[in-house]
Amino acid sequence: MKNVKLKLQEVHYDTTMPTVADRIAQTVVKIILEPSLEAIFHKDSYGYRPNRSAHQALERVRQRCWKYNWVLEFDIKGLFDNIDHVLLMKALSMHTDQEWILLYVERWLKAPMMCEGVSLERTKGTPQGSLCKVKSNVFV
């Protein structure tokens, strides 16, 4: 993983970007995990799901606005930055028995982050990559 500094509207963010090899490996894990995990997600969950879009979510909201007189909305601030590694691994192990997947996911979670030439231990959160959204859905 490679650390990258982003400057958005005068706010600085430290983030990690997967290497090409990491991206390929994460995509392989995602292709294997995603079909079995899709079965456990709620039918009205649209975030980071294959073949689902924000437009579909909005259409569902429009339908429900005529049906109910209340709305429930929530956003988990800093979700990707605050995922507990132990809880995520526990949840993931409930949905796969493939040891190599668990081994790789744990390595990606714990991979140190380089920040200005200093290696920092990662104790929570999930690095960016094709698998981070699947992991966040499993965690939630």
Side-chain angles (χ1 to χ4, degrees):
M1 296 286 183
K2 181 176 142 187
N3 189 52
V4 178
K5 277 206 181 289
L6 299 177
K7 183 179 177 185
L8 303 172
Q9 297 178 350
E10 299 302 317
V11 177
H12 294 275
Y13 299 92
D14 280 330
T15 185
T16 54
M17 300 302 241
T19 63
V20 173
D22 286 332
R23 178 74 74 178
I24 292 168
Q26 287 178 13
T27 301
V28 169
V29 170
K30 179 182 177 191
I31 288 169
I32 292 170
L33 276 180
E34 202 167 51
S36 63
L37 294 174
E38 275 298 304
I40 66 167
F41 297 146
H42 193 278
K43 64 183 173 99
D44 286 341
S45 171
Y46 290 88
Y48 308 118
R49 304 269 307 278
N51 304 315
R52 295 189 178 234
S53 70
H55 295 288
Q56 291 171 319
L58 287 172
E59 179 57 33
R60 193 69 172 147
V61 168
R62 279 189 202 101
Q63 292 169 0
R64 295 237 170 104
C65 283
W66 293 106
K67 202 173 183 181
Y68 302 103
N69 61 359
W70 54 271
V71 174
L72 175 64
E73 177 188 355
F74 71 93
D75 183 24
I76 302 173
K77 184 178 180 181
L79 171 65
F80 296 122
D81 297 332
N82 294 299
I83 289 178
D84 182 285
H85 292 175
V86 174
L87 292 177
L88 175 61
M89 291 306 297
K90 186 176 179 180
L92 194 56
S93 67
M94 293 173 63
H95 301 289
T96 185
D97 58 357
Q98 297 189 42
E99 293 293 324
W100 70 270
I101 289 178
L102 297 172
L103 176 69
Y104 273 92
V105 170
E106 187 171 28
R107 285 180 179 174
W108 288 320
L109 288 174
K110 294 182 177 182
M113 181 172 63
M114 291 298 292
C115 186
E116 297 180 10
V118 177
S119 179
L120 302 174
E121 179 183 5
R122 188 187 315 266
T123 58
K124 64 180 181 175
T126 181
Q128 288 188 10
S130 58
L131 196 57
C132 74
K133 294 167 181 141
V134 173
K135 292 183 289 189
S136 68
N137 278 339
V138 168
F139 187 76
V140 170

